[in-house]
Amino acid sequence: MKRLTQSLVGLLLACGVCAEAGADKQPRANLAQPAYTKEVVVWVNEKGETISTETHYVQALTSALQENQPSISTPDTNGAPPHALSKNSNDHPVPAKGKPKNLPHHPHKHPKPAVSHSHQNQHPNANFGISYSPYKADRTCKNQEEVNQDLDRISSYSFIRIYGTDCDQTKTVTTAARRHNMQVFAGIYDLTNFPSSLDAFSEAITDPNGKKDWSIFHTIAVGNELVNGGTNSATDVAAAVQTARSILRAQGYTGPVVTVDTFSVHLDHPELCHVSDYCAANCHAFFDATQQPAGAGAYALEQARSISAGAGGKRTMITESGWPHAGDANGGAVPSKENQLAAVESLRRSFEKRRGDLVLFTAFDDLWKDDNMYTFNAEKFWGIHGGL
């Protein structure tokens, strides 16, 4: 045997595998149980002479393959067959053979996909508001068709803010907004002719049959920056808000009634927040010479939080915020198209989880406006969607 071992050339051949009889005759119901076969390996030298044998027990091929296949369930004649799940199937059921019993059959009906409430598939403007003024460059009023065309361009926003009742704008804008299922944040600009100026809201939403539909209004504002402009005192404005709310409630309007002023006025006069149904503040980072456009959103959000903190936690909406694309620099705050894009993106990002609390300023360039020493020759050029 020693000589025979030394004469081996190292080429050893497995001459056969012998499986025990009956290994492939297992009942179908037992396929899930491991099956084994006996493997006999015969080692030979270069002359074909047997020198040794080895015996191994290995898992049968059918059993090994089964580990990577869906398990098979035996149909239950007393009910519907269960759905077996395969490994790594991500919990998708393997269809059972035949139609399950005791289930209704609707051959032409298919389940509707679940509706996602994520902002991922929304338009970037969805749920945000935007401000709008229906005036031409020569300060004449736009007619219904012109207002319709304007709102066609900004219909991706959920609501639109207007400031007054002149030019019959409450009627023309609500009419145009209904075409796009938008709401209108309406208001009276000042307290001239107050409270009769409130009649414009009821008239705008009354159909030919006398029926009123107040649902078009997102909010009704009493004044815009009246305290900041020195037009009225905070006490006068607060009293006007209370009067307006009583009148509008009696007419059937149940939505928010507020007064809009700058964020600094709200911080100094929290009573304006208390009398309003929510705090409504205009806030533009551009008017702070230390601000950059990329921080416009964080700046506005910080002011909103400060106002709410001073008003006992009351909700604050930023009712104007934007950045001019032309004009003179205010220190480090520089008007340009690129800076406007950066500021608007910053605002959208900062208010992503509070979209309903931001009104972007403004839809189009307001070429009818005048500049003064406080506006840096930029008053006409805040339009996000270009000129008209």
Side-chain angles (χ1 to χ4, degrees):
M1 184 66 184
K2 185 174 181 181
R3 291 180 188 174
L4 183 60
T5 302
Q6 291 176 343
S7 66
L8 291 177
V9 295
L11 177 62
L12 301 177
L13 303 174
C15 68
V17 177
C18 301
E20 288 186 338
D24 60 347
K25 296 181 181 180
Q26 298 294 327
R28 185 174 182 82
N30 293 329
L31 280 176
Q33 300 297 323
Y36 294 89
T37 60
K38 183 169 68 177
E39 182 181 85
V40 179
V41 180
V42 181
W43 298 93
V44 298
N45 60 17
E46 74 275 14
K47 296 180 180 180
E49 298 171 337
T50 300
I51 57 175
S52 67
T53 62
E54 295 179 5
T55 301
H56 305 282
Y57 288 89
V58 298
Q59 192 171 345
L61 180 61
T62 55
S63 179
L65 289 175
Q66 186 181 13
E67 289 186 351
N68 295 319
Q69 297 296 327
S71 59
I72 301 173
S73 300
T74 304
D76 182 356
T77 57
N78 294 322
H83 292 294
L85 297 179
S86 64
K87 292 183 179 180
N88 303 318
S89 66
N90 296 321
D91 294 332
H92 295 300
V94 177
K97 293 182 179 180
K99 185 178 68 177
K101 297 179 181 179
N102 303 322
L103 293 179
H105 180 50
H106 300 293
H108 302 297
K109 293 185 179 181
H110 303 281
K112 295 181 179 180
V115 177
S116 172
H117 297 286
S118 169
H119 292 310
Q120 292 180 353
N121 297 323
Q122 287 186 334
H123 191 283
N125 298 329
N127 297 322
F128 288 120
I130 193 164
S131 61
Y132 169 75
S133 297
Y135 311 117
K136 300 178 184 179
D138 61 2
R139 300 188 178 183
T140 58
C141 303
K142 291 187 176 182
N143 60 33
Q144 185 66 65
E145 182 58 31
E146 290 168 324
V147 172
N148 288 348
Q149 292 174 1
D150 286 349
L151 266 66
D152 287 346
R153 295 175 58 184
I154 55 175
S155 60
S156 56
Y157 293 89
S158 292
F159 63 100
I160 182 170
R161 183 188 173 195
I162 56 176
Y163 294 81
T165 58
D166 57 315
C167 287
D168 199 26
Q169 63 181 284
T170 311
K171 178 67 172 179
T172 58
V173 174
T174 54
T175 298
R178 289 185 192 278
R179 298 168 63 244
H180 300 289
N181 295 317
M182 300 173 74
Q183 284 191 298
V184 178
F185 183 130
I188 54 174
Y189 189 75
D190 54 33
L191 300 184
T192 303
N193 299 322
F194 180 82
S196 60
S197 54
L198 298 173
D199 294 341
F201 304 120
S202 177
E203 294 168 0
I205 52 88
T206 303
D207 67 18
N209 297 320
K211 183 179 179 180
K212 300 179 187 295
D213 180 9
W214 291 95
S215 65
I216 188 67
F217 290 122
H218 174 285
T219 297
I220 293 179
V222 179
N224 182 69
E225 299 188 4
L226 297 182
V227 177
N228 182 68
T231 306
N232 297 95
S233 68
T235 301
D236 291 340
V237 174
V241 171
Q242 291 176 321
T243 299
R245 183 182 291 106
S246 296
I247 292 173
L248 292 169
R249 292 286 185 265
Q251 294 177 349
Y253 174 66
T254 59
V257 178
V258 303
T259 186
V260 177
D261 222 303
T262 62
F263 74 89
S264 56
V265 167
H266 278 290
L267 291 173
D268 291 338
H269 296 280
E271 64 267 29
L272 296 179
C273 278
H274 293 312
V275 77
S276 298
D277 290 315
Y278 60 81
C279 307
N282 295 340
C283 178
H284 299 282
F286 174 76
F287 292 114
D288 184 329
T290 67
Q291 295 299 309
Q292 296 295 309
Y299 180 86
L301 185 59
E302 179 184 0
Q303 306 308 329
R305 289 170 174 166
S306 296
I307 293 169
S308 292
K314 200 166 193 175
R315 172 195 175 197
T316 296
M317 175 188 288
I318 298 300
T319 46
E320 277 187 12
S321 199
W323 195 278
H325 60 81
D328 299 331
N330 173 27
V334 180
S336 72
K337 188 61 180 177
E338 293 75 17
N339 284 350
Q340 183 187 59
L341 290 172
V344 171
E345 174 58 27
S346 173
L347 286 161
R348 287 196 179 107
R349 185 169 57 251
S350 292
F351 283 82
E352 172 62 24
K353 296 182 179 179
R354 298 181 53 174
R355 290 187 173 210
D357 288 340
L358 177 65
V359 178
L360 290 169
F361 183 84
T362 184
F364 310 109
D365 284 345
D366 291 324
L367 301 181
W368 54 273
K369 287 185 175 180
D370 291 326
D371 276 296
N372 58 50
M373 62 183 296
Y374 303 107
T375 60
F376 304 96
N377 291 315
E379 191 71 359
K380 297 179 175 68
F381 308 117
W382 291 71
I384 295 171
H385 298 282
L388 290 175

